Amino acid sequence: MSATISNPIPALKLPPERIHRLEGYGMRSAADGYLFRPTNVAEIRQILNLAQETHRKVVLRGAGRSYGDANVGSECIIVDISRMNRILNWDAKTGLIDCEAGVTIEGLWRTTMEDGFWPPVVSGTMFPTLGGALGMNIHGKNSFKVGTLGDQVVELDVLFPNGELQTLSPSDDLFYQVISSAGLLGIITRAKLQMKRVHSGDVKVLAVSCDDWQQQFDCFEKYEHDADYMVSWIDCFGRGKANGRGQIHVAWYGNEAYDIPPTLKPESQDLPDTILGLVPKSVVWRFLKILNNRPGMRFVNYAKHNASKILGNHKEIQQSLVGFSFLLDYVPNWRNAYLPGGFIQYQSFVPREHAKAVFSKQIQMQQDAKLQAFLGVFKLHKPDKFMFSHAVNGYSLALDFKVTKRNWPRLQKLCHEMNEVVLQAGGRFYFAKDSTLRPSDVRSYLGDDTLKTFKELKARFDPEGLLTSNLAKRLELI
Ligand SMILES: Cc1cc2nc3c(=O)[nH]c(=O)nc-3n(C[C@H](O)[C@H](O)[C@H](O)COP(=O)(O)OP(=O)(O)OC[C@H]3O[C@@H](n4cnc5c(N)ncnc54)[C@H](O)[C@@H]3O)c2cc1C
């Protein structure tokens, strides 16, 4: 969709047909920018030069799967790296894969699965690019066990706006600063990572229904030294004693007694086109839209909790790695159910000792404000060394809130109040999910030393301050 841009002077050199309206995944943050889709490093250099000549700032963008405003920038040049998607080398003996930064998580597993390797860390969707995933340093349902994606990378090429192209490894400080820097220090153009050896394309999944937070925490603690993956769904409508009710899925890699397990064939991983063999997946979001309001979601959450308690408790099933990992990809365009206002995701990360108190308070606060999240997802993490890290030795709760014109001021207020509770508990936040943080919140959890280091790096590697985003401006990072 194209739109007009106000300042016509620098735009003289930039063709108007490049103007596109781009949005964050939650569809609440959108901005018009000049879209460029380079296919190699030389083209990125040319675009950076063009940005300097035309006095435009630059925003990096992968698959646009960050929920808020980290991948958009008003009147900026947008460098979308998704066409740089070549696998440069795949070594099926060592499991090392060397790729351009536009390769997606899907591109990784489709390349390596048949040889018995799976991406070591994946998000809840398979569409993010490696560049975007490392820009944010994503975590998966195995975060408590293996850490974040950056922990799995052995080498990285980064093109900095000052013209330097550097190859970084985990022995360089800069490696930990570029990964997680939300695209504000340099352009990741290539990454080499260690894939995870698997002996089956299936995982064994155990479902455990929980009546409250205590049962949730007990279950995570019971399995954390043994399980490969853990994730829990939280019913944010559960009140009083039912605050924190939901269902945990604990999963273990499978082991098949075949030289070439049939489940490793990519086609055995493909998600079905229909739900229950009947309803085409492409229309499912329209049904979701009918229920996508507070009474509807109260009912859906209640029904899901009771079904999991009565039918699914302590049941074990075999599931494909793709089916288990990318549940949200089952329903194409599910986010359209949130139209016209879109939605935000609010994810906070809280140290173990305070997590139960903070998350039960957050649920109570939403209920008091009559702004319950329609979906809550609960995970366990371990800390990492990355500059803008969101990780803690503790738990996270991700909450999807529907946005409407009417509720937006109240929703922002609720988020700001929840921030206070998180910050007092020594918690952190995640730029990939953020839409409502304020500069003071970020200063508080990242600390002055980290922000000073970032500014020094910015002055050295991006002296003209080319790299930006609407998130960076909102949070006064630049
Ligand atoms: C349904 C769904 C489920 C998700 N589940 C999870 C989850 O389980 N765990 C999790 O951690 N995240 C999760 N996410 C968030 C998602 O994984 C991250 O936002 C990820 O960064 C998206 O990658 P992208 O390629 O779409 O990047 P974009 O969103 O386009 O960009 C992300 C950031 O990286 C920067 N960037 C882009 N390309 C580069 C580059 N080449 N070099 C340097 N910086 C760059 C951008 O400027 C931006 O700041 C989920 C998102 C969705 C929509």
Side-chain angles (χ1 to χ4, degrees):
M1 207 192 311
S2 63
T4 37
I5 279 189
S6 54
N7 177 3
I9 301 161
L12 286 178
K13 284 196 174 176
L14 289 170
E17 56 275 15
R18 288 205 179 268
I19 298 172
H20 282 70
R21 169 143 290 201
L22 297 166
E23 56 188 19
Y25 194 73
M27 303 175 293
R28 226 209 67 79
S29 306
D32 297 331
Y34 294 91
L35 181 63
F36 287 78
R37 305 183 67 232
T39 57
N40 56 49
V41 175
E43 281 176 26
I44 301 178
R45 283 187 192 279
Q46 283 171 11
I47 299 167
L48 294 179
N49 289 339
L50 184 66
Q52 275 167 334
E53 284 163 19
T54 53
H55 307 292
R56 292 284 176 191
K57 301 284 180 199
V58 173
V59 176
L60 304 181
R61 186 172 169 100
R65 255 54 187 190
S66 295
Y67 285 76
D69 49 0
N71 48 28
V72 296
S74 313
E75 305 191 11
C76 294
I77 285 181
I78 312 293
V79 178
D80 168 343
I81 46 95
S82 59
R83 282 208 298 164
M84 288 178 63
N85 59 3
R86 281 160 289 224
I87 307 276
L88 303 171
N89 191 43
W90 163 234
D91 185 337
K93 283 209 175 73
T94 61
L96 284 170
I97 191 157
D98 199 350
C99 328
E100 289 185 328
V103 168
T104 59
I105 294 173
E106 179 179 18
L108 288 178
W109 72 257
R110 284 203 185 273
T111 304
T112 63
M113 192 83 185
E114 256 179 287
D115 297 321
F117 286 90
W118 175 251
V121 167
V122 300
S123 49
T125 171
M126 63 172 112
F127 302 117
T129 62
L130 262 181
L134 289 170
M136 291 304 188
N137 199 16
I138 63 164
H139 61 263
K141 300 175 181 75
N142 54 357
S143 186
F144 63 98
K145 190 160 185 171
V146 306
T148 43
L149 184 64
D151 286 322
Q152 326 303 322
V153 175
V154 297
E155 203 174 84
L156 206 62
D157 278 357
V158 186
L159 175 66
F160 293 98
N162 69 359
E164 285 180 47
L165 179 63
Q166 288 203 26
T167 299
L168 303 173
S169 74
S171 59
D172 301 303
D173 287 343
L174 198 48
F175 176 90
Y176 296 93
Q177 290 155 340
V178 169
I179 294 176
S180 81
S181 65
L184 299 173
L185 284 182
I187 301 124
I188 298 167
T189 58
R190 179 186 72 90
K192 191 190 231 184
L193 69 149
Q194 178 65 55
M195 300 290 278
K196 163 82 187 150
R197 188 86 175 97
V198 289
H199 301 282
S200 164
D202 282 352
V203 277
K204 181 180 84 180
V205 185
L206 169 72
V208 182
S209 174
C210 299
D211 289 330
D212 57 25
W213 280 114
Q214 192 55 50
Q215 290 185 12
Q216 296 272 0
F217 283 94
D218 289 348
C219 187
F220 270 83
E221 280 168 22
K222 178 173 174 190
Y223 290 108
E224 71 173 294
H225 300 295
D226 168 46
D228 291 311
Y229 296 98
M230 285 194 288
V231 64
S232 184
W233 155 78
I234 304 289
D235 171 5
C236 298
F237 292 86
R239 294 187 82 85
K241 284 191 178 151
N243 186 331
R245 73 181 176 194
Q247 187 187 35
I248 304 187
H249 283 125
V250 186
W252 294 265
Y253 291 114
N255 214 334
E256 285 175 67
Y258 297 99
D259 281 347
I260 305 174
T263 53
L264 290 177
K265 293 254 182 293
E267 54 273 23
S268 75
Q269 297 285 327
D270 281 330
L271 296 172
D273 290 332
T274 54
I275 303 253
L276 303 173
L278 288 170
V279 188
K281 284 197 316 185
S282 53
V283 301
V284 171
W285 72 266
R286 293 179 192 279
F287 293 108
L288 287 180
K289 194 163 166 52
I290 298 167
L291 288 168
N292 209 24
N293 47 55
R294 277 180 65 235
M297 281 297 144
R298 183 190 297 276
F299 168 74
V300 169
N301 277 272
Y302 174 82
K304 180 169 160 57
H305 174 65
N306 282 300
S308 76
K309 207 171 153 168
I310 297 159
L311 304 172
N313 203 8
H314 292 288
K315 269 215 171 126
E316 261 182 35
I317 54 160
Q318 293 288 119
Q319 211 177 353
S320 73
L321 269 161
V322 165
F324 173 74
S325 306
F326 308 123
L327 190 66
L328 289 165
D329 294 343
Y330 265 100
V331 181
N333 299 319
W334 60 267
R335 64 178 183 159
N336 287 352
Y338 284 98
L339 285 171
F343 70 109
I344 59 166
Q345 190 173 97
Y346 176 98
Q347 187 172 19
S348 53
F349 297 73
V350 178
R352 280 175 189 258
E353 60 277 23
H354 300 300
K356 189 172 148 211
V358 169
F359 295 143
S360 55
K361 179 125 207 231
Q362 285 186 349
I363 299 275
Q364 180 68 52
M365 290 164 84
Q366 295 165 44
Q367 294 175 354
D368 292 347
K370 298 194 170 31
L371 286 169
Q372 290 94 335
F374 291 176
L375 175 67
V377 177
F378 182 55
K379 287 184 206 147
L380 178 59
H381 301 266
K382 69 176 192 178
D384 63 37
K385 301 201 304 189
F386 296 90
M387 183 176 65
F388 287 164
S389 176
H390 56 272
V392 291
N393 177 9
Y395 293 84
S396 72
L397 179 62
L399 302 163
D400 285 7
F401 290 104
K402 180 175 179 169
V403 178
T404 63
K405 242 192 211 152
R406 247 182 87 208
N407 82 2
W408 182 230
R410 286 190 299 126
L411 185 53
Q412 276 180 297
K413 182 166 172 280
L414 171 68
C415 293
H416 295 159
E417 286 167 1
M418 292 198 296
N419 291 351
E420 294 305 319
V421 182
V422 172
L423 291 170
Q424 271 167 24
R428 304 178 81 86
F429 299 96
Y430 184 17
F431 290 155
K433 309 293 184 76
D434 175 50
S435 293
T436 56
L437 284 175
R438 295 160 298 180
S440 58
D441 301 321
V442 174
R443 274 198 304 278
S444 175
Y445 84 86
L446 283 180
D448 290 339
D449 287 351
T450 301
L451 290 173
K452 187 164 165 266
T453 304
F454 170 67
K455 289 200 167 135
E456 285 164 5
L457 291 166
K458 193 83 179 150
R460 181 169 158 212
F461 292 105
D462 184 14
E464 302 193 28
L466 275 191
L467 294 181
T468 187
S469 66
N470 280 1
L471 174 132
K473 283 188 233 161
R474 172 168 58 85
L475 299 180
E476 295 173 8
L477 292 170
I478 42 153

